[in-house]
Amino acid sequence: NEYATDDNVIINWENATLMAWINLNNSFSSDGVVVGQNKFQIKVTASKEIEVIANGTTLSNHTLLNTAQWIHVGTVYDGTNGTLKMFINGEMVSSTSVSGTISSDTSLFTIGKNPISNTQFFKGKIDEVRLFNIALTDSQLQKIVYQEIQENSGQVRGAIIPKDVPNLLWANLIRYYKMDNYKDDVIDNHVTSVIDTAPGARIFNVKTIVPQEAPMPFITEQSGDFATAANSISKEIRGL
C-alpha cells in the first residue's frame, strides 16, 4: 500500500495532460488508481483495463494489460475542443466528448491510490509521472513517451533525442516525478531546479525507490526484428 500525496493541484483547468509508466504486479486483481485527483485520474480496473475518469465521464478501453511489463498510459483532457483521449504506449486508443473545465475538488494530487480514500491501491510499479496544464497534441505526447525531458531555454526538450518539442513550454509542465529520488519522504518534483522537501509528493509506507526501469529509451539486447531485439524478460520490457 505505497502511495504519495501532493497538494490540491488541478483546480478548474480547461485543459490537462496526465501520464505515467506502469508495471502491474503478477498478483494484480483489484482496481488500482495510478495517478490523479478525484475529478481527473487514470486507473487500472480489476480486469486489467485502463480507465480515465474526468468530471464523472469514464473513458474505457478493452485492451488487456500484461503483468510484469512496462506500459505507458496517458490521457489528454481538451476542454477547448471538447475531447477526452486515452493513450497506451503513445498510441491514441479511445476518445469521447467532454465539455467545460475539470471541476475543482478538495482531493490531493495522488500517486498510487484513490485520492479520496484509502482504497484502490495500485499493485505494481509507477515511473515518470507528468502533469501538464495544457492539452498536448498527439505528436507532442508521442515525442516524450520514450525519453526523459528537460528544460531548454523555457522549452521542453528530449533528454535522449536532444530536440525541443515544438510549441511545448516548460512552464506548462506542472508536476514531473521521475520517481527515482526523494528527500525527507518527499519525491522530487523535477519541474523545479531545487530538491523538494516540502511541500511536495510525500510518500507513505514502504519506500522502494530504484533507478530508471521503464524503457526510456528502448535498448536492443539481441539481433532480430524490433520486437525480438528489445525484448528483455529480466527487465520486464517487451517489444511492442
Side-chain angles (χ1 to χ4, degrees), residues 57 65 88 115 121 144 147 158 161 176 179 196 208 215 234 236:
T57 296
L65 304 183
I88 298 178
F121 289 93
I144 62 175
Q147 60 178 334
I161 301 175
Y176 180 20
M179 309 297 285
D196 302 303
T208 305
S234 63
E236 298 182 337

Side-chain angles (χ1 to χ4, degrees), residues 12 22 45 57-58 61 96 110 113 115-116 124 139 157 185 235:
N12 284 326
I22 61 172
T45 69
T57 296
T58 299
N61 181 267
T96 191
T110 302
K113 79 173 186 71
I116 60 173
S139 176
R157 187 178 183 87
D185 294 340
K235 296 179 181 178

Side-chain angles (χ1 to χ4, degrees), residues 44-189:
V44 181
T45 69
S47 57
K48 303 182 182 67
E49 298 175 354
I50 296 293
E51 280 188 356
V52 172
I53 298 174
N55 278 349
T57 296
T58 299
L59 178 61
S60 303
N61 181 267
H62 298 300
T63 300
L64 297 181
L65 304 183
N66 293 320
T67 59
Q69 177 182 357
W70 282 104
I71 299 166
H72 190 270
V73 295
T75 181
V76 174
Y77 185 96
D78 187 346
T80 303
N81 296 299
T83 304
L84 176 67
K85 298 179 179 180
M86 178 196 298
F87 294 80
I88 298 178
N89 293 326
E91 179 183 0
M92 200 272 284
V93 294
S94 298
S95 66
T96 191
S97 298
V98 291
S99 62
T101 62
I102 299 173
S103 302
S104 294
D105 64 69
T106 59
S107 67
L108 302 178
F109 186 73
T110 302
I111 303 169
K113 79 173 186 71
N114 189 322
I116 60 173
S117 66
N118 288 323
T119 61
Q120 299 183 19
F121 289 93
F122 182 82
K123 302 299 184 183
K125 304 174 186 177
I126 300 174
D127 202 358
E128 285 288 319
V129 174
R130 302 169 186 170
L131 173 68
F132 294 83
N133 64 1
I134 61 171
L136 268 64
T137 66
D138 294 8
S139 176
Q140 287 172 330
L141 185 144
Q142 289 160 358
K143 284 179 170 61
I144 62 175
V145 168
Y146 294 106
Q147 60 178 334
E148 293 184 349
I149 53 177
Q150 56 194 23
E151 181 183 10
N152 180 50
S153 300
Q155 301 291 314
V156 173
R157 187 178 183 87
I160 300 298
I161 301 175
K163 293 185 177 181
D164 293 348
V165 179
N167 304 312
L168 185 54
L169 300 177
W170 189 259
N172 293 126
L173 179 61
I174 306 304
R175 292 292 188 273
Y176 180 20
Y177 293 113
K178 294 184 179 182
M179 309 297 285
D180 59 2
N181 60 348
Y182 69 93
K183 183 178 181 180
D184 297 338
D185 294 340
V186 175
I187 307 171
D188 193 23
N189 174 20

